[in-house]
Structures are given as C-alpha cells and as structure tokens.
C-alpha cells in the first residue's frame, strides 16, 4: 500500500503575542504533529489553551513566531500575506462557529463565492454551488437568505462553501458551538460522511461528545501537546 500523503506537518511551532508594557505572552510553546490525508482529528483544550491560535496558523491566517509548518508539502511558515491568501483559497476550506455567511447574499451566492474569487466563470460557479447544496441536502434553498434558514442549515451552507474549492483540508473551529445537541449531531454526521469520502478534517471543540466523532484526538494544554492518539483511549473522555 502506498504511504498516505502528509497534509499537515508542524514542527516545534511557537506563537507569542506582544502585550502592552513590552511583555510577551507565550501561547504555543512548541507544537509538533503530522496529519495525513484522510484523517479526522479533533483538537481539544481548555479555554485559552491556544486552540484558535493553532487553528489560525493551520489556516494560514497567521504565522508562527518560530518553528515550521508544511501544508500539502509546502513550507508556509514564512510566506507573505499574498502567498498565504493563495494557499488558503486553493488548499483549505473553513467552517466557523458563527457560520460566517454573508447576510445579504443568497445561499447559492455564499457557496459560490470562493470559486468566484478564483476567477471561475459565473455560470460554472452557480452550477457547482448548486451541486454542493445538493450534497448537503439543501436542494431548493438556493435563493433563500441565510437569516431564513435554521442554524443547522446555515452551517450546512458553510460546509458546502468550504467544499466547493475541492480543498485538501477542512478546518472547523467549534463548528457546533452555536447549535443544539440534535443539530450538532447532524452536522457531525455530515463531517463523518465527508471523511468517509476521503476528506481530511481538523476540528476544534471543547466538547467530548463532539470530539468522539473524530478518529484521533490532539489535546493541547499549556501551549504543548498533552495527548495525541486514539479518541477512545483518552481517559478524560468518558
Ligand atoms: N491576537 C491576539 N493578541 C493577543 N493575545 C491573544 C490573541 N489571540 C489570542 N490571544 C491570547 O492567547 C491565549 C490563547 O487564546 P486562544 O488561542 O483564543 O485560545 P482558545 O481558542 O483555546 O480558547 C489567550 O490567553 C488569549 O488571550
Ligand atoms: Mg477558541
């Protein structure tokens, strides 16, 4: 069997923030791990442990202060803002806690937007967006506005938008944080279905019930990887 492709490789990644008064706060103190194609990883940790900071680095929205980050074989640790924007658009799909949909644009426009940014023609964008909406079971809702849909449906729109680039990696930061339990489970079932199709997913959550859907758990504490392994074997998840 051929070796699975390494999608993410973090090596001794550190991140500090400068604070008022000349102090620096060390948030990530040396994070190293790899994620291979087809994995489904949950990142957990207490509030303030650096999960979002790590996701921002993984998502090429921010750079590490030190250490290296290879995404899809490319060292992105020191790339310029323009280069990072290109990598984001080509390689990554994002799902956020607050859905982050454009409120004044229709559902189909929201989903098509990443493709439009890539310069794909309008008709092709719309066709692909409708296919994506179909795949998240939102056929018929294309001309609605986000506010006319339930939270769970809006998050499915966000998932469709994240998928439209055919990304190498989906990054989801607390994607069920604003949803009730049943809707959260539906969204997690959707992530599982995508993962079964081979899509690589890294998901941040502070809820053990959500992390359980993943195949692997990375727990961050005090800016370091405290646990990295099977979700079920982590003693704190019961
Ligand atoms: N842009 C920033 N500037 C300064 N400090 C920040 C910034 N972002 C996060 N922090 C600090 O870094 C720490 C980790 O934050 P964060 O990554 O958001 O944690 P989590 O997502 O695990 O709750 C917190 O103490 C937070 O105050
Ligand atoms: Mg956070």
């Amino acid at each position: 069997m051929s070796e699975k492709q390494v999608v993410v490789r973090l090596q001794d990644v550190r991140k500090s923030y400068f604070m008022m008064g000349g102090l620096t706060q060390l948030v990530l103190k040396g994070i190293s791990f790899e994620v291979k194609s087809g994995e489904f990883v949950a990142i957990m940790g207490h509030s303030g442990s650096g999960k979002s900071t790590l996701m921002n680095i993984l998502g090429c929205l921010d750079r590490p202060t030190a250490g290296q980050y290879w995404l899809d074989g490319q060292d992105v640790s020191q790339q310029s803002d323009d280069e990072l924007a290109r990598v984001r658009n080509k390689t990554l799909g994002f799902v956020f806690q607050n859905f982050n949909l454009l409120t004044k644009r229709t559902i189909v426009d929201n989903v098509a937007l990443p493709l439009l940014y890539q310069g794909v023609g309008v008709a092709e964008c719309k066709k692909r967006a409708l296919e994506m909406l179909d795949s998240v079971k939102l056929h018929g809702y294309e001309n609605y506005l986000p506010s006319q849909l339930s939270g769970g449906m809006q998050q499915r729109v966000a998932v469709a938008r994240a998928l439209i680039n055919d990304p190498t990696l989906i990054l989801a930061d607390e994607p069920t944080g604003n949803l009730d339990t049943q809707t959260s489970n539906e969204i997690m079932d959707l992530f599982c279905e995508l993962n079964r199709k081979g899509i690589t997913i890294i998901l941040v959550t502070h809820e053990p019930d959500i992390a359980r859907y993943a195949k692997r758990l990375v727990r961050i504490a005090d800016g370091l990887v405290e646990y990295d392994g099977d979700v079920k074997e982590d003693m704190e998840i019961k």
Side-chain angles (χ1 to χ4, degrees), residues 63-74:
R63 287 181 209 76
T65 312
Q68 278 175 300
Y69 172 26
W70 286 267
L71 174 61
D72 213 11
Q74 197 180 355

Side-chain angles (χ1 to χ4, degrees), residues 121-153:
V122 174
E124 174 67 15
C125 285
K126 182 160 186 199
K127 182 173 156 272
R128 297 259 299 273
L130 289 174
E131 285 167 9
M132 281 300 144
L133 284 170
D134 245 3
S135 76
V136 297
K137 302 188 178 67
L138 284 174
H139 179 81
Y141 289 94
E142 52 268 21
N143 295 319
Y144 283 58
L145 291 173
S147 59
Q148 295 175 294
L149 268 54
S150 70
M153 290 162 101

Side-chain angles (χ1 to χ4, degrees), residues 23-238:
L23 297 171
T24 57
Q25 182 190 4
L26 217 58
V27 177
L28 303 179
K29 300 177 183 169
I31 303 274
S32 304
F33 60 82
E34 277 186 5
V35 175
K36 292 188 173 149
S37 180
E39 282 203 89
F40 187 175
V41 182
I43 295 177
M44 291 194 81
H46 293 297
S47 178
S49 60
K51 301 183 298 296
S52 292
T53 299
L54 178 60
M55 282 301 257
N56 287 343
I57 290 171
L58 288 170
C60 298
L61 296 159
D62 204 355
R63 287 181 209 76
T65 312
Q68 278 175 300
Y69 172 26
W70 286 267
L71 174 61
D72 213 11
Q74 197 180 355
D75 184 354
V76 290
S77 342
Q78 302 302 330
Q79 290 197 336
S80 70
D81 288 351
D82 282 353
E83 285 168 327
L84 288 183
R86 246 195 315 278
V87 171
R88 274 203 304 277
N89 209 305
K90 193 171 70 101
T91 315
L92 300 172
F94 293 91
V95 181
F96 301 95
Q97 178 170 356
N98 298 319
F99 323 135
N100 282 19
L101 301 175
L102 297 178
T103 53
K104 291 182 179 147
R105 305 294 290 268
T106 60
I107 296 307
V108 68
D109 281 358
N110 267 281
V111 175
L113 215 58
L115 275 191
L116 272 176
Y117 285 150
Q118 282 186 12
V120 177
V122 174
E124 174 67 15
C125 285
K126 182 160 186 199
K127 182 173 156 272
R128 297 259 299 273
L130 289 174
E131 285 167 9
M132 281 300 144
L133 284 170
D134 245 3
S135 76
V136 297
K137 302 188 178 67
L138 284 174
H139 179 81
Y141 289 94
E142 52 268 21
N143 295 319
Y144 283 58
L145 291 173
S147 59
Q148 295 175 294
L149 268 54
S150 70
M153 290 162 101
Q154 289 187 55
Q155 196 59 303
R156 265 149 57 203
V157 175
V159 171
R161 179 186 56 187
L163 288 170
I164 200 161
N165 287 346
D166 197 15
T168 311
L169 173 66
I170 296 271
L171 294 170
D173 195 349
E174 302 269 8
T176 61
N178 283 354
L179 303 174
D180 61 53
T181 306
Q182 193 197 325
T183 313
S184 295
N185 291 335
E186 284 166 20
I187 290 293
M188 292 313 297
D189 285 337
L190 176 58
F191 278 120
C192 287
E193 187 189 320
L194 298 173
N195 180 245
R196 274 195 299 275
K197 289 181 185 160
I199 293 173
T200 314
I201 301 168
I202 302 179
L203 174 144
V204 162
T205 182
H206 64 270
E207 295 172 75
D209 284 343
I210 297 299
R212 251 190 282 269
Y213 282 89
K215 295 179 191 158
R216 172 179 163 198
L217 174 67
V218 173
R219 185 184 288 279
I220 307 290
D222 245 343
L224 292 166
V225 174
E226 182 196 56
Y227 175 89
D228 183 352
D230 196 287
V231 178
K232 313 249 171 3
E233 284 171 17
D234 184 56
M235 294 320 286
E236 285 184 52
I237 291 195
K238 294 197 177 78

